[in-house]
Amino acid sequence: MNDDVTLPPHPPTTVTGEPAPVPGGPAGTVDPHVVASDALANLRDIGGRAAAGGRTVRRGVAYRSAELRAPAIADDPTIARLGVRTVVDLRTDAERTALPDVLPAGARGLHADVLALTPQAPAADLTEILRHPQEAEAVLVELDPSAQMRRTYVDLVVGDAGRAGYAALLREIVDADSAPVLYHCTAGKDRTGWATTVLLLAAGVDEAGVREEYLAVNPTVHAMYAPLLRQFAAVGGDPGLLVPLLEVREEYLDAALGAVDQHFGSFDAYLTDGLGLTRLEIATLTDTLTS
């Protein structure tokens, strides 16, 4: 099997700049947070959701995506229109070395490895597992992927690397000279998903809105990994064993939110005691993200 299949392909998109249809949804249904680009997969604007006090999360401040691997990113017109100034890469050193970011024109790159202390976590180690498909099934059975993913989410909340990395991301968004900010991991679902959860909660979005955004990437992620699942099945593997690694699930988000409560007592304390943000930084973050 060609090793390239371990890198998620970009899903098909609509005309550049238009929202992509929601797979499986009613005809004409679109996800208004999707920014359709032929160069960058899973690109979303986190703005547009209702926040506390009658406010709304601003559009054009923070974007999320999969890894920036396509050469076309440097001059893609859709990405250029976003005016991204800062790209925050949440991947491990190994991932960055294997596939360095292609930065949009005019953007600076910042590395914030949120899994530095757990490089074998499945969010970072999926490619290596799949290099040897004949052995992968036994590895996955022993791993218990869903349980391991829950542990990884807890580590994103309480681990030193996670706390330092997410604090760095939030401070970039607070810095007016850094915005708009685009942040990403590999598929743009787990490390990026928790980053988005933190931002939306800090902006005052309720839990229902936060969960909606967290789960909204699944149709795109499923499309990205469908060829990989087919090829894994073709060599005799059980695709069902891979699925927990290739999608987001509420149980994963619940694990992270539970860790916030267990270790810090509240989300506000997570921001101050966990991420080390000052009250002024938190207030500025909320004001930056909402209008």
Side-chain angles (χ1 to χ4, degrees):
M1 183 174 70
N2 188 329
D3 282 347
D4 286 345
V5 74
T6 62
L7 299 175
H10 298 311
T13 58
T14 60
V15 176
T16 300
E18 296 297 323
V22 177
T29 300
V30 298
D31 182 337
H33 303 280
V34 169
V35 180
S37 166
D38 292 329
L40 180 56
N42 213 3
L43 177 58
R44 300 175 61 85
D45 187 335
I46 74 165
R49 295 188 182 276
R55 294 187 144 198
T56 302
V57 182
R58 296 180 194 267
R59 292 189 178 274
V61 173
Y63 299 94
R64 58 180 293 182
S65 74
E67 59 195 4
L68 280 67
R69 67 180 191 172
I73 288 170
D75 55 9
D76 179 73
T78 297
I79 298 173
R81 283 195 292 271
L82 303 182
V84 172
R85 292 182 182 177
T86 306
V87 173
V88 180
D89 186 347
L90 304 175
R91 298 177 301 166
T92 64
D93 284 333
E95 289 172 297
R96 293 176 68 243
T97 299
L99 199 69
D101 271 347
V102 177
L103 295 176
R108 58 182 271 266
L110 175 71
H111 185 214
D113 182 350
V114 295
L115 283 176
L117 300 184
T118 54
Q120 298 308 312
D125 196 46
L126 178 62
T127 296
E128 183 58 33
I129 288 174
L130 294 173
R131 288 189 191 281
H132 309 287
Q134 291 80 8
E135 304 168 14
E137 188 161 336
V139 171
L140 290 165
V141 169
E142 182 178 354
L143 178 68
D144 187 356
S146 60
Q148 184 59 48
M149 289 300 292
R150 292 193 298 271
R151 288 191 289 270
T152 296
Y153 272 70
V154 170
D155 191 66
L156 293 176
V157 173
V158 304
D160 291 343
R163 290 188 291 117
Y166 290 120
L169 169 62
L170 268 56
R171 288 191 169 106
E172 287 299 314
I173 293 173
V174 166
D175 184 351
D177 292 333
S178 296
V181 174
L182 169 64
Y183 57 95
H184 74 93
C185 51
T186 300
K189 64 183 184 71
D190 300 308
R191 291 165 285 185
T192 298
W194 179 242
T196 305
T197 296
V198 172
L199 289 170
L200 293 181
L201 287 174
V205 176
D206 64 19
E207 187 171 317
V210 169
R211 288 182 182 274
E212 182 179 70
E213 173 60 30
Y214 174 75
L215 295 171
V217 302
N218 265 337
T220 295
V221 170
H222 291 160
M224 291 166 69
Y225 285 118
L228 184 150
L229 290 174
R230 288 194 295 269
Q231 293 205 30
F232 189 63
V235 296
D238 177 4
L241 293 173
L242 287 177
V243 170
L245 298 175
L246 304 182
E247 65 182 10
V248 294
R249 295 180 173 183
E250 288 203 66
E251 65 183 281
Y252 305 161
L253 183 59
D254 288 339
L257 294 172
V260 167
D261 290 339
Q262 179 181 351
H263 291 269
F264 303 104
S266 68
F267 180 73
D268 187 61
Y270 167 70
L271 293 178
T272 55
D273 301 339
L275 303 189
L277 299 183
T278 66
R279 294 292 178 186
L280 177 58
E281 286 176 320
I282 294 170
T284 304
L285 177 64
T286 302
D287 287 342
T288 299
L289 289 171
T290 61
S291 60

